[in-house]
Amino acid sequence: IDFARISNKEWMSKLNQEVLKRSIHTINTERKERKFVETVELQIGLKDYDPQKDKRFSGSIKLKHIPRQKLQAIILGDQIHCDQAKELGIPYIDAEGLKKFNKQRKPMKKFFKPYAVLLASESIIKQIPRLVGPSLTKLGKFPMTVSHNDNLQEKIDEAKATIKFQLKKVLCMGVGVANLNMTEEQQRENITLAINFLASLLKKQWNNIRTLHIKTTMGKAQRIYG
């Protein structure tokens, strides 16, 4: 992906920033007090796409601000990364722990269910097929690689800030791109970056986008395009 094109005015011109600002202001001023932080979801309706015939797109982008801070992470680590994780208070599991699953999908699914972010040491990544078989891939939980040169907390924050667009069998999708603890400007930055990246993935770019809405977890959807 050419990220220079994503931020180019040509890509941004289809998204009316004044409409976006008004919609963001509305979802922030109309919210009610909740016992949790509401996520701002980008809801996308596509057109002129045939999921059966057209190539299904998939792409990930790191947003400027972390949309969901409470996403839980776990380290599949070698000794060094397990020690670092322990020090940081981050859950971890080593190769011996992975072996105990005996490649059984059900207990693995239960164990990894709470974790949205999985990071694995380079040495562990190489052993995953032998240790756990294809189960993590089938569960959609295959880990990102972390090296000893990486800062573990920074790597986790990077993974938390990364969102994925993937076309499946239907022409609509929703992705969490911000939250109501952010400023309205931070929300706007994330939403704009996410939308322009999505457009770059589509075969006809903006011509494949029918509608765009933003919606908080408990609020009403606000149309921002289409």
Side-chain angles (χ1 to χ4, degrees):
I1 296 299
D2 184 347
F3 288 95
R5 287 178 70 205
I6 294 169
S7 57
N8 191 296
K9 286 181 182 176
E10 166 201 343
W11 287 85
M12 295 180 70
S13 62
K14 296 270 187 174
L15 185 64
N16 186 313
Q17 288 292 320
E18 289 311 310
V19 170
L20 178 57
K21 284 177 185 176
R22 282 199 301 272
S23 299
I24 290 171
H25 187 65
T26 299
I27 64 173
N28 280 269
T29 52
E30 289 186 356
R31 66 176 168 174
K32 295 177 182 177
E33 284 299 315
R34 309 279 178 192
K35 291 181 179 178
F36 64 94
V37 178
E38 291 186 68
T39 298
V40 178
E41 185 180 66
L42 174 64
Q43 298 179 332
I44 303 132
L46 301 177
K47 63 180 180 179
D48 300 332
Y49 241 102
D50 185 343
Q52 304 302 323
K53 294 178 183 176
D54 294 325
K55 186 181 177 184
R56 294 186 191 178
F57 62 81
S58 177
S60 300
I61 186 169
K62 182 188 171 207
L63 299 178
K64 199 168 180 182
H65 314 282
I66 295 173
R68 290 180 288 183
Q69 286 281 2
K70 287 198 171 180
L71 289 181
Q72 291 192 64
I74 185 168
I75 309 301
L76 287 63
D78 57 18
Q79 191 60 54
I80 292 171
H81 281 140
C82 285
D83 289 346
Q84 288 177 2
K86 189 176 181 181
E87 211 171 291
L88 291 165
I90 298 163
Y92 61 90
I93 186 168
D94 60 12
E96 286 303 311
L98 291 170
K99 265 184 206 171
K100 288 176 184 174
F101 288 117
N102 289 322
K103 299 184 182 179
Q104 293 178 324
R105 191 173 170 184
K106 203 170 179 181
M108 236 181 288
K109 184 178 181 180
K110 186 180 177 182
F111 179 83
F112 286 108
K113 190 177 179 181
Y115 305 107
V117 174
L118 277 68
L119 295 178
S121 306
E122 290 172 326
S123 60
I124 299 291
I125 280 274
K126 292 169 187 172
Q127 296 180 64
I128 280 178
R130 182 174 61 80
L131 293 171
V132 298
S135 295
L136 287 179
T137 306
K138 287 180 179 176
L139 293 170
K141 297 269 188 181
F142 199 82
M144 293 169 59
T145 308
V146 59
S147 75
H148 292 150
N149 294 325
D150 292 322
N151 178 299
L152 211 51
Q153 189 60 60
E154 284 178 8
K155 199 76 178 173
I156 289 169
D157 288 344
E158 181 186 323
K160 283 183 179 180
T162 301
I163 60 164
K164 184 176 184 179
F165 291 107
Q166 186 170 16
L167 180 67
K168 295 189 177 175
K169 291 180 181 178
V170 291
L171 293 180
C172 54
M173 63 182 81
V175 182
V177 293
N179 67 69
L180 293 185
N181 267 1
M182 292 179 181
T183 65
E184 291 186 19
E185 178 58 19
Q186 287 173 333
Q187 292 170 34
R188 188 193 67 79
E189 287 174 343
N190 269 16
I191 292 165
T192 301
L193 185 58
I195 291 170
N196 288 327
F197 176 70
L198 169 68
S200 76
L201 292 175
L202 303 172
K203 61 176 184 177
K204 294 179 183 175
Q205 288 83 50
W206 280 92
N207 293 325
N208 285 128
I209 299 176
R210 185 185 298 280
T211 56
L212 295 169
H213 292 76
I214 53 171
K215 183 190 178 300
T216 59
T217 309
M218 306 298 287
K220 293 178 184 175
Q222 301 288 322
R223 187 185 291 241
I224 56 173
Y225 178 80

